[in-house]
Amino acid sequence: IFFRCSLTMAPGFLREGIHGRLFEVGGDDDLVASQQASRSSYPRMLVMGAFILAVAFVVVLSAQESKKNAVQTHATVGGAPTGRFNGMAGGLGVALPMTDDVAHMVGSLRDQILRLAQSKGLNGDFVVFEPISYRTQVVAGTNYFVKIRIGRDDNDYIHVRIFQPLPYTGEGPEVHSLQMSKTATDDIGYDS
């Protein structure tokens, strides 16, 4: 009963089906009638075809727009944004203010960073250890370029590159390089 009621309330092209007739099975008379009715349903089929093409066109356009906007998608560490991709594979993202997740990762590597800084001429311990900002680079994992304040002056900064391997490796982040004698205004990156 529901099927029959819903068919009688449906728009004409749905109610009549492809051949312009109510969904019925019958003899030769029904076949002839359905063939004659199908000729009158050609305009409806053309309209439906145009509608399907329009939907397909919209889907293709939205897929292209999504692909274009994928360049602006944020990568994440623990749900926190890590930086915008700049549209170039392997390129550096823009500098971002420090997030809790990235600060925690940097803090967990403090001892490694200290040993590396001491091997490059730092005497003693850090006066302050405050990650300020960072940039990311997506490679076979993620490189984090982090600006860290280590003293009380505007000239007491270091830049550290930390590599976080892909999750399937099961490996944690590790310090790859460190640049000494940086200022608060120096850009973060490979050659900064």
Side-chain angles (χ1 to χ4, degrees), residues 24-138:
E24 296 174 356
V25 177
D28 291 336
D29 292 338
D30 282 341
L31 180 61
V32 170
S34 70
Q35 288 172 347
Q36 289 173 347
S38 70
R39 289 187 196 106
S40 68
S41 68
Y42 286 139
R44 279 188 230 144
M45 289 176 15
L46 287 175
V47 168
M48 286 301 295
F51 176 74
I52 290 169
L53 284 174
V55 168
F57 182 72
V58 168
V59 167
V60 167
L61 282 180
S62 64
Q64 288 176 342
E65 189 67 24
S66 294
K67 200 181 292 184
K68 188 180 356 173
N69 289 338
V71 168
Q72 299 172 355
T73 302
H74 284 81
T76 61
V77 168
T82 61
R84 286 185 178 239
F85 300 110
N86 65 2
M88 186 172 73
L92 284 173
V94 298
L96 295 170
M98 189 53 55
T99 63
D100 290 340
D101 289 334
V102 177
H104 178 69
M105 176 184 64
V106 173
S108 71
L109 298 170
R110 185 184 188 282
D111 292 339
Q112 283 184 32
I113 295 169
L114 178 60
R115 281 193 300 275
L116 189 56
Q118 288 171 341
S119 74
K120 293 192 175 225
L122 178 70
N123 292 324
D125 200 351
F126 299 127
V127 176
V128 176
F129 188 82
E130 180 185 357
I132 302 296
S133 61
Y134 68 100
R135 295 174 74 179
T136 60
Q137 178 187 36
V138 177

